[in-house]
Amino acid sequence: MHRRCKKYKQVENMKHFAYQAEEHRQKENQAAIRIQSWFRACRVRACLIHLRKKAVIIQKIWRGFRARARFRQMIYRLCYDRFFVRKYIHNFYVRKRYLEGISRKNEFIRRELDELAVLQKRERDCLQMVEEQTAKFYQAHRLHYLLSTKLNGQWVFNSPFRPAPHEMEQLLRQVKYQAPTRLTHRGRACLLGRPEPPAPSFSGSLGAPLVETTRICSFSRPLLPPIANKQKQVST
Amino acid sequence: MSQLRPLMLDVVPGIRQTAALALGNLADLSDFMAEAMVKEDILPPLVHFLTEENRFHKKAAAFVLRAVSKHSPELSQAVVASGGVDALVLCLDEFDPGVREATAWALCNIAQHNTSLSQSVVDAGAVPLLVLCLVEPEIALKRIAASTLSNICKHTPELAQIAVDCGAIAHLAQMILDPDAKLKRQVFSALSQISKHSVSLAEMVVEAEVFPAAMATLRDPDQVVRKNVTALMRELVKHTPELAQLIVNCGGVAEVIDFLGKCRGSPRLPGIMMLGYVAAHSEVLAMAVIISKGVSQLAQVLCEETEHHIRAAAAWSIGQIGHHTPEHANAVATANVLPKLLELYMDASSSEDLQDKSKKALKSILQKLTYLPGLEPFLSNAPSNILKHVLHAFSKVLPNDSQARRLFVTSGGLKKVQEMNAEPGSLLQEHINAINSCFPEEIVRYYSPGYSEALLEKLENYQPS
């Protein structure tokens, strides 16, 4: 009986404990759930925070990379603009070459025009000389009577005090005397421009054409009949 | 006069003609006579002469009209009012070249005065007939036709356009290399009057291949021809940079500079202005002028010439050359031009125009100058408005160049700067401060006026210990 009483007390105790435990079962269950959920949440949070930190690092590195790439490209573009302007728009070497070309061209033009001026001057001098010669010949033609002869060995242009005769003397000897034509104003002008037969000592410029024109000029005016004929007519 | 007039209405044609010739000679002599003649109302009979058959009458009448109209616009207006222009243009159609020459000369004298007279000549239909005269073989007729076209075209662009529309440019361009000097004078003057008005006209003249053929005429013995060629080049160059570059590429600048060296006096003016226009367009062209030794030639012109307008043009051209970059300004300064410009500016006897132009040239060159030895003489005798530019130039260069600083001190420039009085706060004072800040303080104090007195005072107050 003692043992049964002990066992009955034990069962009674256990029932009491079970009943109390039954009361607290709900609460403790809830508490356990809460604790476990909180703990799980902590673990997940820790995991997420870890992930986020690593993601930030990755994104940081990536953005830095992109920004540096963009910066480099901008610098390159600016450099290219500057390069383009310097090479094509304000090209220093082209300008230098252009200025050198200008100075070479200037020298060239100066030389060419100097030569041209010399040529032109020579032509003008030649023309002037021709005119002078023609004027001299005309003078010689007009002053033919100043020619010295064997009789009057010394005459105007053939003085004994000279070592050799004057050049006019030479001209006068070369000029062939022509009978004076009846010169009107026009004829005189004609003769002025075109004098005498050529002298052998003066080359080229007074050539055959001049002789012909002279002849044409002097023979174009018909000579008047001599006075004797007219008197004869009058008398008859 | 009152006796000659009835003779003009005489029966015998010879008397009429001689009377007209006498009147023409009288009118040629002085404008007083011409006015008296017009008052005596001789113009209607003369116009009647022009419509007569006889070509000697026409020549005589045209001679009188030319002599009358050359003196003043009012007389020309009287000629136009009496119907002279229409009659003259009818005579231009004649066969005889002498008559045409006389009528063209009369039209030339009428058209030279002002725009309305030229307009009346053009309205009468003279221009096509004049262009036909240009192709005739007689040189005198060509000369007169060219000079008439030149007088017509010089007034307005519209008149020049009418002449161009009749094909004048082609004929004028053919006559450029003619050996006759007077003809070349008129041809080049006509071309320059046409091309001066607008870009399109200038381009048309260039398209007629006038250049580089006209370069050869720059060595012509006749000075007026050379002057007219440089006038043509000036009119072409002043429109656009492309035209200026064309002339420079043909070597025109070198030739003009040679021409400036050889002649004296007023023929130099077109050449000087041409260099100024070329340099004004761009700095490359200005550099081209500099390397063709343009600046030294212009400096010589400034020294030799006494006429104010030529000197003013030379000062303007130098300003145009020097104002682009420091390189250009230094090239101008090394040619010793700046003291001469300053002298012209300060000279009381220079005309206003000359003073104005030399001041502007000085200012624009001083903005860009870095060659300092050229500026030393300015410190002593420049007026304050130039001085502030000089000091500005100094204050830009001195901070960077130690050699220049040394030169500045040893040549006495710092001393002069210290002696200058300037109102505090003015631009001059700012520049002086900027210059002073380039040097150590002891040197500045050493050169400031009154330093020796300060030292002596210090000596008096000093107690040896």
Side-chain angles (χ1 to χ4, degrees):
Chain A
M1 184 141 116
H2 193 64
R3 251 188 269 158
R4 218 201 269 175
C5 279
K6 242 204 246 173
K7 269 204 183 141
Y8 183 72
K9 269 197 186 144
Q10 280 177 349
V11 166
E12 280 289 328
N13 281 346
M14 278 170 66
K15 269 192 190 165
H16 187 68
F17 286 141
Y19 178 68
Q20 277 184 335
E22 215 31 70
E23 270 182 21
H24 292 130
R25 168 187 291 261
Q26 197 64 26
K27 250 192 190 169
E28 283 175 0
N29 201 20
Q30 292 292 336
I33 287 176
R34 239 196 223 164
I35 291 174
Q36 282 169 12
S37 69
W38 193 270
F39 183 72
R40 286 201 181 111
C42 282
R43 279 182 74 97
V44 167
R45 234 179 273 138
C47 186
L48 281 179
I49 284 174
H50 178 258
L51 281 180
R52 175 179 298 166
K53 277 193 193 147
K54 301 308 171 200
V56 164
I57 292 176
I58 293 174
Q59 284 168 7
K60 202 166 64 175
I61 295 174
W62 176 249
R63 284 198 184 128
F65 169 75
R66 290 293 302 152
R68 272 191 295 281
R70 194 195 297 223
F71 181 71
R72 204 177 303 129
Q73 203 184 45
M74 180 178 76
I75 295 292
Y76 284 168
R77 197 166 357 111
L78 281 177
C79 285
Y80 181 70
D81 281 347
R82 182 109 178 107
F83 160 76
F84 188 84
V85 163
R86 279 183 82 90
K87 181 161 178 180
Y88 295 109
I89 300 180
H90 292 135
N91 193 343
F92 175 72
Y93 293 106
V94 163
R95 177 175 180 266
K96 194 164 145 198
R97 260 183 298 145
Y98 173 70
L99 288 172
E100 277 167 19
I102 292 282
S103 34
R104 274 201 306 267
K105 180 83 190 229
N106 284 346
E107 286 307 312
F108 174 71
I109 289 277
R110 276 189 180 128
R111 263 176 306 151
E112 291 268 302
L113 288 186
D114 281 336
E115 282 168 28
L116 197 67
V118 163
L119 274 174
Q120 279 178 347
K121 188 153 190 331
R122 219 181 287 161
E123 267 179 42
R124 278 196 302 273
D125 287 341
C126 202
L127 278 173
Q128 208 182 353
M129 217 170 63
V130 164
E131 277 174 29
E132 275 169 27
Q133 297 305 341
T134 49
K136 269 196 197 158
F137 268 98
Y138 177 68
Q139 281 291 312
H141 171 77
R142 301 296 278 184
L143 301 174
H144 63 88
Y145 50 86
L146 293 180
L147 181 65
S148 65
T149 56
K150 240 199 256 181
L151 202 61
N152 52 354
Q154 303 123 29
W155 199 233
V156 179
F157 292 119
N158 195 5
S159 160
F161 302 113
R162 295 176 71 91
H166 196 263
E167 61 165 274
M168 271 308 266
E169 182 68 24
Q170 313 284 5
L171 277 176
L172 288 169
R173 283 183 195 164
Q174 282 153 11
V175 161
K176 264 198 192 152
Y177 175 67
Q178 281 181 339
T181 57
R182 184 176 151 109
L183 291 173
T184 59
H185 179 71
R186 274 189 214 154
R188 196 167 286 138
C190 199
L191 245 179
L192 216 83
R194 302 271 180 264
E196 310 322 309
S201 54
F202 294 94
S203 58
S205 42
L206 308 168
L210 280 173
V211 180
E212 281 153 30
T213 24
T214 319
R215 291 217 182 104
I216 292 168
C217 242
S218 44
F219 294 124
S220 59
R221 332 222 116 264
L223 292 173
L224 282 182
I227 296 173
N229 284 350
K230 228 182 178 177
Q231 278 176 351
K232 269 189 196 159
Q233 281 176 359
V234 165
S235 60
T236 50
Chain B
M1 196 79 56
S2 44
Q3 289 164 345
L4 275 176
R5 194 179 181 283
L7 284 177
M8 283 208 341
L9 303 167
D10 200 270
V11 177
V12 180
I15 296 182
R16 290 207 291 268
Q17 184 192 333
T18 330
L21 278 174
L23 282 171
N25 282 325
L26 278 173
D28 214 10
L29 281 175
S30 79
D31 54 344
F32 175 69
M33 302 295 296
E35 275 176 31
M37 267 194 246
V38 170
K39 270 196 221 127
E40 294 268 337
D41 201 27
I42 57 145
L43 290 172
L46 283 172
V47 174
H48 182 65
F49 271 20
L50 282 171
T51 53
E52 272 186 31
E53 288 290 323
N54 195 340
R55 67 176 192 265
F56 296 108
H57 285 158
K58 292 192 198 186
K59 259 201 257 190
F63 172 53
V64 181
L65 288 175
R66 145 185 140 212
V68 164
S69 58
K70 86 173 182 200
H71 295 290
S72 82
E74 291 81 26
L75 292 170
S76 311
Q77 191 59 46
V79 172
V80 171
S82 57
V85 175
D86 297 314
L88 283 169
V89 170
L90 278 173
C91 289
L92 261 184
D93 224 352
E94 275 274 320
F95 183 68
D96 183 30
V99 171
R100 278 200 275 180
E101 183 190 333
T103 49
W105 206 332
L107 287 171
C108 172
N109 281 351
I110 293 176
Q112 76 186 359
H113 295 290
N114 62 34
T115 313
S116 56
L117 289 165
S118 310
Q119 190 64 48
S120 46
V121 169
V122 170
D123 288 337
V127 179
L129 295 166
L130 285 169
V131 175
L132 281 174
C133 287
L134 276 178
V135 269
E136 294 291 324
E138 286 87 19
I139 294 224
L141 187 53
K142 283 202 245 216
R143 272 187 221 152
I144 296 298
S147 95
T148 316
L149 282 171
S150 152
N151 277 342
I152 291 177
C153 296
K154 76 183 179 194
H155 298 287
T156 76
E158 290 81 29
L159 292 168
Q161 188 64 46
I162 294 175
V164 168
D165 290 336
C166 298
I169 293 188
H171 295 132
L172 288 170
Q174 276 167 4
M175 296 196 278
I176 284 179
L177 294 174
D178 203 277
D180 185 41
K182 289 189 178 161
L183 176 60
K184 275 191 279 199
R185 283 184 203 177
Q186 304 301 337
V187 162
F188 280 116
S189 126
L191 283 172
S192 63
Q193 303 293 359
I194 290 177
S195 60
K196 83 178 181 192
H197 292 291
S198 81
V199 185
S200 50
L201 288 168
E203 276 174 8
M204 269 196 258
V205 171
V206 165
E207 273 164 30
E209 298 192 12
V210 168
F211 279 96
M215 302 289 293
T217 49
L218 271 172
R219 299 294 182 115
D220 204 87
D222 189 16
Q223 206 182 51
V224 185
V225 172
R226 285 185 286 181
K227 174 179 159 202
N228 286 353
V229 177
T230 37
L232 171 63
M233 287 163 88
R234 168 189 77 189
E235 306 300 349
L236 285 176
V237 151
K238 76 182 186 193
H239 293 289
T240 71
E242 286 80 29
L243 282 171
Q245 194 157 31
L246 179 76
I247 304 277
V248 170
N249 288 352
C250 297
V253 170
E255 282 304 310
V256 168
I257 291 173
D258 285 346
F259 168 62
L260 283 180
K262 286 185 197 150
C263 72
R264 301 275 174 274
S266 72
R268 276 174 157 171
L269 187 63
I272 298 173
M273 290 178 72
M274 183 215 157
L275 290 177
Y277 281 126
V278 165
H281 284 297
S282 82
E283 60 98 17
V284 181
L285 292 171
M287 192 43 108
V289 172
I290 292 178
I291 59 174
S292 317
K293 306 186 188 56
V295 183
S296 50
Q297 192 60 56
L298 285 171
Q300 223 175 346
V301 166
L302 268 183
C303 297
E304 286 174 358
E305 293 296 327
T306 52
E307 292 279 312
H308 288 293
H309 59 275
I310 302 182
R311 279 177 153 178
W316 172 78
S317 303
I318 292 176
Q320 295 299 324
I321 295 176
H323 81 278
H324 294 281
T325 72
E327 220 178 291
H328 297 81
N330 291 352
V332 168
T334 41
N336 269 336
V337 171
L338 299 176
K340 189 74 191 163
L341 280 177
L342 183 68
E343 194 192 307
L344 286 173
Y345 173 56
M346 309 269 291
D347 194 0
S349 64
S350 314
S351 66
E352 258 187 54
D353 187 42
L354 175 57
Q355 278 180 346
D356 191 37
K357 292 210 162 88
S358 41
K359 179 172 90 160
K360 280 197 192 136
L362 269 177
K363 275 195 183 157
S364 55
I365 295 175
L366 285 172
Q367 304 276 4
K368 299 278 167 101
L369 192 60
T370 57
Y371 176 69
L372 295 180
L375 288 179
E376 299 292 329
F378 278 64
L379 287 173
S380 31
N381 51 5
S384 69
N385 51 355
I386 303 285
L387 203 56
K388 65 175 184 258
H389 291 285
V390 173
L391 290 179
H392 187 53
F394 271 120
S395 60
K396 273 191 286 189
V397 176
L398 284 176
N400 306 327
D401 191 1
S402 63
Q403 193 69 20
R405 282 200 287 268
R406 191 194 164 95
L407 210 61
F408 190 57
V409 171
T410 51
S411 62
L414 192 58
K415 184 156 193 274
K416 288 188 198 141
V417 168
Q418 300 307 319
E419 283 161 10
M420 281 177 209
N421 305 332
E423 300 90 46
S426 75
L427 213 57
L428 205 60
Q429 189 61 33
E430 276 179 40
H431 295 315
I432 293 181
N433 293 344
I435 293 177
N436 287 346
S437 58
C438 304
F439 295 97
E441 215 190 292
E442 299 103 30
I443 298 189
V444 173
R445 248 187 298 150
Y446 178 73
Y447 280 112
S448 52
Y451 186 61
S452 45
E453 284 85 31
L455 274 183
L456 282 174
E457 262 187 53
K458 211 168 166 193
L459 186 65
E460 279 168 21
N461 300 337
Y462 184 68
Q463 299 290 339
S465 54

